Amino acid sequence: MPKEFVCFFAGAQKPKRETKQGVYCRMENKISQSAKAIFELINQVESNDEFSDKVSVMDFMCGTGKSTAISMKIRQAIETNQGLLVVTDSVERLEHYMEPYDDELRSFLQENRSRVTILTGRNYAKEHAHIASRPILLITTQRFFRYTTDEIENKFLQWDEGQRKLAIFDEKPILYDQHTLDPKAMNDFETAYIYGIQDKNHMEDKFLLIS
């Protein structure tokens, strides 16, 4: 992965009910303040060198404007001619990014639809040819993880004019290698830490740390 590659994970789930703010903003066709705040937060993380080679996990409640913020990032990428990769778990959500509730934002995205590739199983044969020529790539999780790491780096993180340095995964992340710290695991750790590391000069510090 390029050093600048950043992933953004959000707890994307279908909301059981609209928030008052979400209902108001959708009726008025306005971008909510929370969506603007999420957009600015993504920009801050993206521009901070401290996070340039790390995965950033951001957790937002349903209805706070995640999808709108992603639509705003797509617009920003189009305006600056920067590459962007967006991955989520449904075709409907990918299409929704291009049709936000805000009238002006939706109009801009539709006028610049030729700058975006939405890659799904239904249109793969047609859209596959545009992956390298368009800076914005939207793809489903299922299709994204069919590819090897090398294929992802060469096919999805590169385009004709540079790299797609920001990748947004709009869904709840899956955490692997989870281990339960039961009494046996703690005893094994204590044995390895106290007696496995040859450092007899700091035994009191070791006992204090695990007590």
Side-chain angles (χ1 to χ4, degrees):
M1 299 290 185
K3 183 179 180 182
E4 296 83 1
F5 184 74
V6 178
C7 294
F8 162 81
F9 291 89
Q13 299 175 355
K14 293 183 179 179
K16 295 182 180 179
R17 61 179 179 83
E18 299 278 5
T19 63
K20 291 182 180 180
Q21 184 184 39
V23 171
Y24 173 79
C25 291
R26 292 180 185 186
M27 290 176 62
E28 298 293 327
N29 294 326
K30 296 180 179 178
I31 298 176
S32 67
Q33 291 300 315
S34 59
K36 294 178 182 178
I38 293 172
F39 171 73
E40 291 300 329
L41 179 60
I42 299 172
N43 284 338
Q44 290 175 17
V45 172
E46 182 183 9
S47 61
N48 191 330
D49 291 338
E50 181 181 351
F51 300 105
S52 64
D53 58 348
K54 296 180 175 63
V55 174
S56 298
V57 181
M58 303 179 186
D59 184 22
F60 301 108
M61 294 177 60
C62 296
T64 53
K66 285 190 296 83
S67 295
T68 302
I70 293 173
S71 297
M72 295 168 69
K73 283 300 296 182
I74 294 173
R75 173 174 183 162
Q76 183 185 60
I78 293 173
E79 291 177 331
T80 59
N81 200 40
Q82 298 296 314
L84 173 66
L85 171 66
V86 179
V87 184
T88 194
D89 58 358
S90 71
V91 175
E92 291 74 17
R93 189 172 283 116
L94 291 178
E95 294 172 345
H96 178 66
Y97 298 141
M98 300 300 294
E99 299 179 0
Y101 293 102
D102 180 73
D103 291 336
E104 192 275 332
L105 179 58
R106 181 174 63 253
S107 176
F108 176 90
L109 294 178
Q110 292 304 313
E111 290 175 0
N112 291 274
R113 178 64 179 80
S114 62
R115 303 288 286 156
V116 180
T117 298
I118 301 179
L119 195 62
T120 69
R122 294 189 297 235
N123 69 4
Y124 183 83
K126 177 182 177 181
E127 291 293 305
H128 182 266
H130 302 298
I131 293 177
S133 61
R134 298 173 180 175
I136 321 300
L137 173 61
L138 313 182
I139 185 172
T140 59
T141 308
Q142 295 81 358
R143 179 159 294 279
F144 180 82
F145 284 107
R146 288 182 183 178
Y147 295 87
T148 65
T149 300
D150 287 341
E151 288 174 327
I152 290 172
E153 291 187 2
N154 295 325
K155 185 186 294 289
F156 298 148
L157 300 184
Q158 308 285 337
W159 69 293
D160 288 346
E161 298 185 33
Q163 295 179 326
R164 295 186 176 99
K165 296 181 180 181
L166 176 66
I168 298 177
F169 287 73
D170 184 19
E171 61 181 88
K172 184 177 180 180
I174 300 175
L175 302 178
Y176 293 95
D177 297 329
Q178 300 186 47
H179 300 279
T180 302
L181 293 179
D182 54 23
K184 182 180 183 304
M186 293 302 296
N187 289 334
D188 290 343
F189 170 76
E190 178 179 352
T191 300
Y193 183 62
I194 297 297
Y195 303 106
I197 301 177
Q198 300 299 320
D199 184 9
K200 297 181 180 180
N201 294 326
H202 298 88
M203 294 299 290
E204 290 185 2
D205 293 337
K206 288 184 178 182
F207 283 113
L208 178 63
L209 180 62
I210 64 173
S211 61

